[in-house]
Amino acid sequence: MNKLSSAISACAYYVPDGKLTHEELVGRFGREVMEKIAQPSGIWERRIVQNGECASDLAFRAAHDLLTFHNIDRNSIDLILFATQTPDYLIPTTACILQDRLGLSKKTAAFDINLGCSQYVYSLSVGHSMIVAGVARRALIMTGDTVSRIINPKDRTNAPLFGDAGSATLLDAVSAGEGFVNFELGTDGSGHQYLIWPTSGLRQPRSTETAKEITDKLGSVRREDDMYMNGPAIFVFTLKIVTETVKALLKKSALSIDDIDLFIFHQASELIVQSSANKLKIPPEKLHYRLHDIGNSGGTTVAVALTDAWIEGRIKPGMNIVLCAFGVGLSWSAALLKWPANSLGPVCTVDYSLSPQKPSSQQAWRSR
């Protein structure tokens, strides 16, 4: 076999047991406020970590489930990437800790990718490149963020949107003609202030001043020690960049919208996904959602929606699939892949039996 490409062999995601319900937020912010947020966002419940759970715990569970369910030889994995902006520590890299927790070989290369909303597709591009270059044979790509831990609970702009999740994706070498076809990546750091955690690093140290709560004109309360998002600026950026990125990806691949079987966008909100699809004239039946009972899980949303689509039977061998993510950085990423003929399958052990019965307008989401 000519190892000239790579493909997704298996994928899994995991969300924590903790929930932040619509009614709980109604009690916090009022019903009128919450209805105005929930209707366009499509988010009626969020899964959130509890008792000190970290992003690595969620990614570990997804990876453990994937490796165990498919009986993967752990010595066959020689590369792991962990993409997150809420790591266990700044030093050491969390991927090293995950290598040990997962019982992988000490010959496994491991490093973190510090990136937010676009992290999943970026990480796939890195894993793919290393396999094609012959640096690795089999890669385990993990993502995870615990945004709920860095949002002020009184921030009515962000608290209703974000949830926590982790994912694991297995990449294997395949023959040319299958797997990843093209990537489209980009950055505009001039907009970095639109989505930022000001005191998360060394540039702005924490102090008594950064710990003071401030109420903005919309009534949201936050500190400089909390994550901040300028929603309107991000929305305008998204509508422009998603259209440009998908068109550029298809152009370099000599394909059109009609040639794509399924589009999976960053699950920032249902309004953003629908608005982007409308601008690109993507038929509703070519979209897949998974955010209504999970929330916007940052860089893991595309992995969640992809796994969910596979579970729902919406992904078949030979299909052309486009993944597109965008957000913090500002950064964006898109990938085109032809689904391989041979793969292992999706894994999700999450119990959704008590999820809210609020289906998407596209009928792509339903409680399992």
Side-chain angles (χ1 to χ4, degrees), residues 12 73 182 208 217 228 242 263 316:
D73 178 5
N182 269 316
T208 54
K217 62 183 179 180
Y228 162 77
V242 171
F263 291 84
K316 305 290 185 183

Side-chain angles (χ1 to χ4, degrees), residues 10-152:
C11 55
Y13 75 90
Y14 184 78
V15 294
D17 294 332
K19 296 180 181 180
L20 180 58
T21 68
H22 182 71
E23 289 304 314
E24 184 175 345
L25 289 177
V26 165
R28 191 183 301 178
F29 301 122
R31 188 166 299 280
E32 182 178 357
V33 168
M34 281 308 303
E35 290 297 324
K36 288 181 179 179
I37 294 173
Q39 291 292 344
S41 73
I43 298 169
W44 297 87
E45 183 174 272
R46 294 129 290 267
R47 289 295 188 109
I48 60 171
V49 292
Q50 298 176 317
N51 303 319
E53 284 179 297
C54 291
S56 65
D57 297 319
L58 306 180
F60 167 81
R61 178 59 186 270
H64 173 77
D65 290 348
L66 184 154
L67 296 173
T68 302
F69 184 84
H70 290 300
N71 195 27
I72 301 295
D73 178 5
R74 302 193 181 210
N75 289 322
S76 69
I77 296 170
D78 49 11
L79 169 67
I80 61 170
L81 307 178
F82 180 49
T84 185
Q85 293 206 303
T86 53
D88 289 14
Y89 312 98
L90 291 179
I91 301 174
T93 185
T94 308
C96 293
I97 300 170
L98 284 166
Q99 173 271 331
D100 180 61
R101 289 184 66 184
L102 290 167
L104 303 181
S105 168
K106 293 181 180 179
K107 294 183 179 180
T108 303
F111 59 93
D112 284 2
I113 294 178
N114 179 7
L115 199 61
C117 307
S118 60
Q119 63 181 231
Y120 182 61
V121 180
Y122 258 93
S123 299
L124 292 175
S125 75
V126 174
H128 165 77
S129 299
M130 294 182 73
I131 289 175
V132 170
V135 177
R137 299 181 306 276
R138 171 173 267 185
L140 182 62
I141 310 299
M142 291 173 282
T143 69
D145 275 306
T146 50
V147 181
S148 70
R149 294 187 61 177
I150 62 175
I151 291 176
N152 193 306

Side-chain angles (χ1 to χ4, degrees), residues 279-319:
K279 288 194 69 174
L280 287 162
K281 298 181 180 180
I282 298 172
E285 63 271 15
K286 290 189 175 186
L287 295 175
H288 189 81
Y289 296 99
R290 189 66 207 240
L291 76 162
H292 300 80
D293 55 350
I294 294 176
N296 173 355
S297 56
T300 301
T301 68
V302 174
V304 168
L306 178 67
T307 307
D308 191 71
W310 202 356
I311 290 171
E312 295 287 347
R314 301 198 65 190
I315 294 177
K316 305 290 185 183
M319 279 187 167

Side-chain angles (χ1 to χ4, degrees), residues 311-337:
I311 290 171
E312 295 287 347
R314 301 198 65 190
I315 294 177
K316 305 290 185 183
M319 279 187 167
N320 289 323
I321 297 174
V322 167
L323 312 177
C324 184
F326 40 84
V328 61
L330 299 170
S331 65
W332 53 93
S333 57
L336 168 66
L337 60 156

Side-chain angles (χ1 to χ4, degrees), residues 173-205:
V174 295
S175 299
E178 286 191 323
F180 292 103
V181 177
N182 269 316
F183 291 90
E184 184 74 17
L185 311 173
T187 311
D188 180 7
S190 67
H192 73 274
Q193 74 277 10
Y194 294 146
L195 210 171
I196 189 170
W197 183 12
T199 60
S200 59
L202 302 180
R203 176 64 62 185
Q204 184 176 349

Side-chain angles (χ1 to χ4, degrees), residues 198-250:
T199 60
S200 59
L202 302 180
R203 176 64 62 185
Q204 184 176 349
R206 295 194 173 196
S207 66
T208 54
E209 288 300 311
T210 65
K212 291 181 179 179
E213 290 188 334
I214 300 172
T215 303
D216 67 17
K217 62 183 179 180
L218 297 177
S220 289
V221 178
R222 70 176 68 88
R223 310 166 300 166
E224 287 188 316
D225 292 341
D226 303 318
M227 191 189 84
Y228 162 77
M229 181 175 70
N230 183 328
I234 294 292
F235 183 77
V236 171
F237 152 76
T238 296
L239 291 187
K240 178 177 183 291
I241 205 62
V242 171
T243 303
E244 292 178 354
T245 302
V246 171
K247 285 183 176 180
L249 178 69
L250 294 178

